[in-house]
Amino acid sequence: MTTTEILEILKEKFSVEQFEIQSNIGGEILIVPSNVLLDLCFFLRDDERLAFDSLMNLSGVDLADGEKKKLEDGSFEIVGGHLATYYHLHSFKHNHKLTLKVLLPRENPVVPSVERVWRSADWHEREAYDLFGIVFEGHHNLKRILLPDDWDGYPLRKDYKVQEFYQGMKVPY
Amino acid sequence: MGILDKEFTESNIIITKFDDLMNWARLSSLWQMTFGLACCAIEMMATSASHYDFDRFGVIPRPSPRQADIIIISGTVTLKMALRIKRLYEQMPEPKYVISMGSCATCGGPYWNHGYHVLKGIDRVIPVDVYVPGCPPRPEALLEGLLKLQEKIRNESHVKKQV
């Protein structure tokens, strides 16, 4: 089933004006607002015609579309713009795929957790939280997964600055 | 140095210097801590295996820091791991030796610039006796590093004041 056909089915329950299809290399992406994400995910999983029973991948992205502000030390800071989360879904039953994208404001990146929908989201969301600082509301154990708990900052953000010292160890070369 | 060069063949007596005896004993049974970090650890395991046979130099893996003489830092040291390595090193009894194996452990390797999570050289945390270059070093290089370490131990003194 293509993304357009899936959107036809979604029309039954959701007002589809809030969705947007973005064509991309490697397929189409459905952009959805964060406030309907959880309902949408439950529907995508439970509806017989869609039956997305597997969350293949969940990733965070720094779009870096905000305003770049130069700082005195030569580095820069990004103000405004968006972070995003991507959800790659797959249905074993129908063997079709769907990609969801949620745009989040950089200053307050909060998105509902889909951990209750697909358990595989647990560690993926922790990773996105760890490296991008995206907060997944409703996650039962949202803490860093790769970096130490006392780490400063979110390394995969485009304006991340390496800390000078970590626990007394010099970090830069 | 020849520990057996003054041998009294009849009476089972060997005369040697205390330093020589101690050093010979130490350098001939360097038990390494069972510890590997990254791809260098694969080469280290290959060095331990039958083809290169670390055991012929008295190096056998010991799965406890409390019974180990030498720790080979074999791979990329993340900042998270560095704290644990420091603790392991502190748990080892004296005398203890460190071989920094490969570029990553020595200076950060390919992560020297953009590796925000990588310690740029294990010598920022614990003292290093021998650096083995390579990415990863071949088993021959690690053996050479071990021989250098043995050379270093051979020239240590237990009596003379250390500078």
Side-chain angles (χ1 to χ4, degrees), chain A residues 7-20:
Chain A
L7 200 60
E8 284 302 310
I9 295 175
L10 293 181
K11 262 184 191 167
E12 296 167 13
K13 205 175 170 224
F14 301 92
S15 54
V16 286
E17 307 82 61
Q18 51 189 343
F19 301 150
E20 187 191 327

Side-chain angles (χ1 to χ4, degrees), chain B residues 30 160 163:
Chain B
L30 287 169
K160 283 182 208 147
V163 183

Side-chain angles (χ1 to χ4, degrees), chain A residues 131 145-148 151 155 160 162 166-167 169-173, chain B residues 79-80 82-83 107-108 112-113 115-120 124-125:
Chain A
L131 302 174
I145 188 168
L146 297 164
L147 297 167
W151 194 267
Y160 174 71
V162 174
Y166 173 72
Q167 297 236 355
M169 295 177 287
K170 192 172 166 239
V171 182
Y173 183 74
Chain B
L79 293 165
K80 197 175 177 179
L83 301 169
C107 65
W112 71 277
N113 198 4
Y116 58 87
H117 61 305
V118 176
L119 184 71
K120 315 298 185 320
R124 291 185 181 186
V125 178

Side-chain angles (χ1 to χ4, degrees), chain A:
Chain A
M1 210 180 278
T2 64
T3 308
T4 325
E5 287 165 344
I6 290 168
L7 200 60
E8 284 302 310
I9 295 175
L10 293 181
K11 262 184 191 167
E12 296 167 13
K13 205 175 170 224
F14 301 92
S15 54
V16 286
E17 307 82 61
Q18 51 189 343
F19 301 150
E20 187 191 327
I21 290 181
Q22 181 189 346
S23 289
N24 214 350
I25 303 164
E28 289 174 323
I29 295 172
L30 190 63
I31 302 177
V32 302
S34 66
N35 55 348
V36 296
L37 179 73
L38 198 59
D39 290 339
L40 179 69
C41 284
F42 272 119
F43 182 76
L44 287 171
R45 186 192 69 179
D46 296 333
D47 191 90
E48 280 297 307
R49 293 159 295 174
L50 302 168
F52 285 106
D53 45 14
S54 161
L55 174 70
M56 293 193 295
N57 189 33
L58 188 163
S59 48
V61 175
D62 185 358
L63 299 176
D65 51 354
E67 186 195 343
K68 276 188 189 176
K69 270 191 182 167
K70 276 230 166 176
L71 298 179
E72 284 172 14
D73 57 349
S75 61
F76 64 91
E77 188 185 37
I78 299 176
V79 182
H82 296 89
L83 301 174
T85 48
Y86 282 70
Y87 305 81
H88 294 267
L89 310 179
H90 177 246
S91 168
F92 281 99
K93 195 175 170 190
H94 304 301
N95 196 22
H96 57 199
K97 290 174 183 171
L98 177 67
T99 306
L100 300 178
K101 174 184 178 182
V102 182
L103 284 169
L104 309 164
R106 190 186 191 86
E107 266 63 49
N108 183 28
V110 181
V111 65
S113 166
V114 296
E115 185 213 10
R116 276 179 289 162
V117 190
W118 300 284
R119 286 301 306 273
S120 59
D122 182 351
W123 282 12
H124 284 103
E125 289 183 346
R126 279 179 63 187
E127 189 186 11
Y129 166 72
D130 194 357
L131 302 174
F132 289 99
I134 296 167
V135 177
F136 293 88
E137 230 165 23
H139 192 287
H140 80 287
N141 183 29
L142 192 68
K143 58 177 190 184
R144 289 187 185 273
I145 188 168
L146 297 164
L147 297 167
D149 287 337
D150 57 352
W151 194 267
D152 222 16
Y154 303 106
L156 288 193
R157 287 199 184 186
K158 297 289 183 194
D159 58 352
Y160 174 71
K161 269 202 292 293
V162 174
Q163 45 197 341
E164 202 63 30
F165 284 92
Y166 173 72
Q167 297 236 355
M169 295 177 287
K170 192 172 166 239
V171 182
Y173 183 74

